[in-house]
Amino acid sequence: MSYQIAIDGPAGAGKSTIARKVAKQKGFIYVDTGAMYRAMAYYLLTKNVNPNDAQAIEETCQNADITICYEAGEQVVLLNGENVNGVIRSEAVGNMASASSPNPRVRERLTLLQKELAKANNVVMDGRDIGTCVLPDADVKIYLTASSKVRAKRRFDELSEKGISCDMQQIESDIIKRDEQDMTREVAPLRPAEDAVLVDSSYMTIDEVTDVILDLCEKRKKRKEL
Ligand code: DC
């Protein structure tokens, strides 16, 4: 049986950085489910689908074959056989992902792939609905969060480092809007699973959060062995 670590939480809480580190330490694969929703969104954008047209999203998503593979330990997302890692991180793709991810047909297709990956491999999987919907029996479930101010500051620093000028208040209001969308949607809303451990990373370092998760894995292992 595979070992499954589920990490959910809002955008900017540090999920991918932490999940990647935990996966490395444990020798598991890291599955970034947000990247799959982004690949689907990218496909919809290339087909000029209107983000408000649920029917067009439903129909068009059937033609997107999304899979993942690993190169040097890094997840590569393939959209109809093509590596799209380099084109899915833009704001436009993020906004389309936010608009299209509530669609039940989109979720159905991607959730199936995520469940298959976790059945065949030991995984650290991050997203919004991993502990609640995708892997309800995960061995360890984490709900990783941080205040919107701290998340905005992290994003601001990230963009500034790349030489991109931006406005911190605008970033924070975008984050709050995205949280609201993810938490209030009908299908698979963002919320902590009942058995998830809540971790607030606002005033924690990456290593501290990683250690909390690794400790939980050890405790869970011991409990299983008792
Ligand atoms: O984590 P991210 O920003 O790369 O995610 C992109 C979008 O996909 C975001 O709007 C939430 C959505 N998403 C989702 O609905 N379910 C997941 N398991 C992962 C991401």
Side-chain angles (χ1 to χ4, degrees):
M1 261 249 297
S2 63
Y3 196 97
Q4 303 170 347
I5 303 173
I7 305 180
D8 289 302
K15 297 188 299 294
S16 58
T17 308
I18 306 288
R20 198 173 270 117
K21 274 202 103 171
V22 173
K24 200 162 184 198
Q25 289 272 341
K26 302 288 293 177
F28 293 2
I29 63 165
Y30 164 47
V31 182
D32 172 359
T33 63
M36 296 179 189
Y37 285 93
R38 284 172 178 270
M40 180 62 88
Y42 175 74
Y43 181 73
L44 297 170
L45 282 174
T46 62
K47 297 294 168 196
N48 293 317
V49 170
N50 179 338
N52 302 315
D53 186 344
Q55 201 185 336
I57 292 175
E58 265 183 49
E59 283 168 16
T60 312
C61 82
Q62 309 292 339
N63 302 322
D65 179 32
I66 293 166
T67 53
I68 64 169
C69 64
Y70 289 86
E71 274 175 21
E74 276 298 303
Q75 172 179 297
V76 174
V77 187
L78 301 172
L79 168 63
N80 294 331
E82 198 184 310
N83 178 346
V84 289
N85 271 21
V87 290
I88 57 173
R89 295 289 155 198
S90 68
E91 279 306 296
V93 171
N95 289 337
M96 184 53 145
S98 188
S100 57
S101 57
N103 191 292
R105 289 287 96 71
V106 169
R107 300 205 76 80
E108 216 171 74
R109 284 176 77 79
L110 298 181
T111 302
L112 190 69
L113 169 65
Q114 291 155 13
K115 283 179 191 273
E116 279 169 3
L117 281 165
K119 212 192 246 175
N121 304 277
N122 292 327
V123 293
V124 181
M125 189 176 283
D126 76 359
R128 306 293 192 284
D129 61 338
I130 310 306
T132 51
C133 299
V134 182
L135 306 176
D137 299 322
D139 299 270
V140 172
K141 293 183 190 178
I142 308 291
Y143 189 85
L144 185 63
T145 186
S147 71
S148 56
K149 276 222 157 22
V150 167
R151 288 186 283 137
K153 169 83 168 60
R154 287 177 187 163
R155 181 83 183 131
F156 178 85
D157 290 346
E158 208 179 289
L159 291 171
S160 304
E161 218 167 87
K162 289 183 191 158
I164 302 169
S165 76
C166 48
D167 175 65
M168 183 110 78
Q169 252 163 14
Q170 182 60 47
I171 295 177
E172 191 183 356
S173 70
D174 284 350
I175 281 179
I176 292 169
K177 191 171 147 217
R178 185 77 64 91
D179 286 355
E180 167 86 11
Q181 268 176 1
D182 289 344
M183 287 171 173
T184 56
R185 68 185 179 206
E186 260 174 54
V187 186
L190 168 65
R191 62 177 172 81
E194 268 174 28
D195 49 350
V197 174
L198 263 64
V199 179
D200 185 334
S201 73
S202 301
Y203 304 104
M204 290 172 82
T205 64
I206 290 166
D207 284 341
E208 282 169 343
V209 179
T210 306
D211 286 346
V212 167
I213 300 176
L214 292 173
D215 277 356
L216 275 168
C217 292
E218 277 310 301
K219 282 192 191 124
R220 187 52 64 94
K221 202 169 88 192
K222 284 200 188 106
R223 247 190 13 219
K224 266 189 165 176
E225 283 163 1
L226 279 176

